[in-house]
Amino acid sequence: VATDLGTDTRKVEQVKGPVSVRRPPGRSKTIQKYTPAEWDGIYKWYWLSYGVGLTGLKRLRVEPIDDVTFMTNKGETMDLCSYENAPLFLFRHSNGGLKFYNPIRESKREIKFVSNTNETDVYGLDLVPEGADCILTGGNKDVVTLCDHGVHAICLNSENAKLSPLLYVHIRRQVGNLT
């Protein structure tokens, strides 16, 4: 897995002793406010189409959201809203990171994700029992779908994230086989 993700395996082998993966200072975007929604209508339907039920969503800290206001890296304030056929969801990381997901966009120009997560955030790792086999997936939705069907799964903070040697060692010390 480390080689497949471009991690320098020579650096992984050099890591000895306890590993501390610290959250880097600052966040990529500042979440100013968001409005929770109820689990009904389009919110439930979206996840049921993947075979994911409400119990699994709550266990994985997925929440329906009406809207979110955030500040971009350029200092601009922007809003992202749910509407009739386009739900908005929050994936709440165990360390306080927030990732908002807009799965049904009308155009490729619309924002798909808004997050204040960092490169050390691994979604779902806290739910994997120590020593259990685990799949490293591309994104949060994959983690939710697999976990709700009994498969331990995790993902990095972004589908484009690089797995650093330190983060790889941190994950490997928690899980059994990593696929």
Side-chain angles (χ1 to χ4, degrees):
V1 170
T3 304
D4 291 342
L5 292 171
T7 302
D8 186 343
T9 54
R10 293 173 303 193
K11 289 183 179 177
V12 169
E13 292 166 4
Q14 294 170 359
V15 178
K16 306 282 188 238
V19 174
S20 175
V21 180
R22 293 195 181 112
R23 179 184 255 336
R27 300 239 182 206
S28 58
K29 292 188 177 58
T30 302
I31 308 299
Q32 295 178 326
K33 65 178 181 173
Y34 62 91
T35 309
E38 296 296 322
W39 276 112
D40 57 14
I42 188 72
Y43 297 107
K44 273 187 174 178
W45 171 86
Y46 177 79
W47 288 105
L48 285 174
S49 69
Y50 293 97
V52 177
L54 196 54
T55 302
L57 292 166
K58 288 181 178 180
R59 185 172 70 83
L60 288 151
R61 299 177 303 273
V62 179
E63 302 170 27
I65 299 296
D66 276 334
D67 57 73
V68 58
T69 302
F70 61 97
M71 186 174 294
T72 68
N73 295 338
K74 295 177 181 178
E76 301 167 339
T77 299
M78 294 186 71
D79 294 307
L80 189 59
C81 303
S82 289
Y83 47 96
E84 189 176 326
N85 293 317
L88 181 61
F89 298 100
L90 165 61
F91 296 100
R92 189 179 294 278
H93 287 244
S94 63
N95 62 2
L98 304 174
K99 187 170 188 177
F100 295 87
Y101 176 46
N102 178 19
I104 304 172
R105 299 170 295 156
E106 289 188 1
S107 76
K108 295 285 184 190
R109 299 181 89 187
E110 282 187 79
I111 296 172
K112 186 173 184 177
F113 292 104
V114 172
S115 117
N116 66 357
T117 60
N118 286 307
E119 63 268 9
T120 60
D121 292 338
V122 180
Y123 182 68
L125 186 60
D126 62 306
L127 300 173
V128 178
E130 189 172 333
D133 293 345
C134 183
I135 295 175
L136 178 59
T137 69
N140 299 65
K141 184 172 75 172
D142 301 327
V143 171
V144 171
T145 303
L146 287 167
C147 288
D148 196 54
H149 290 89
V151 178
H152 300 296
I154 60 173
C155 69
L156 303 179
N157 74 317
S158 157
E159 291 181 4
N160 301 324
K162 300 280 188 233
L163 184 60
S164 72
L166 226 51
L167 189 54
Y168 176 75
V169 170
H170 173 71
I171 293 168
R172 290 293 294 134
R173 289 187 178 170
Q174 167 73 28
V175 304
N177 292 316
L178 182 64
T179 305

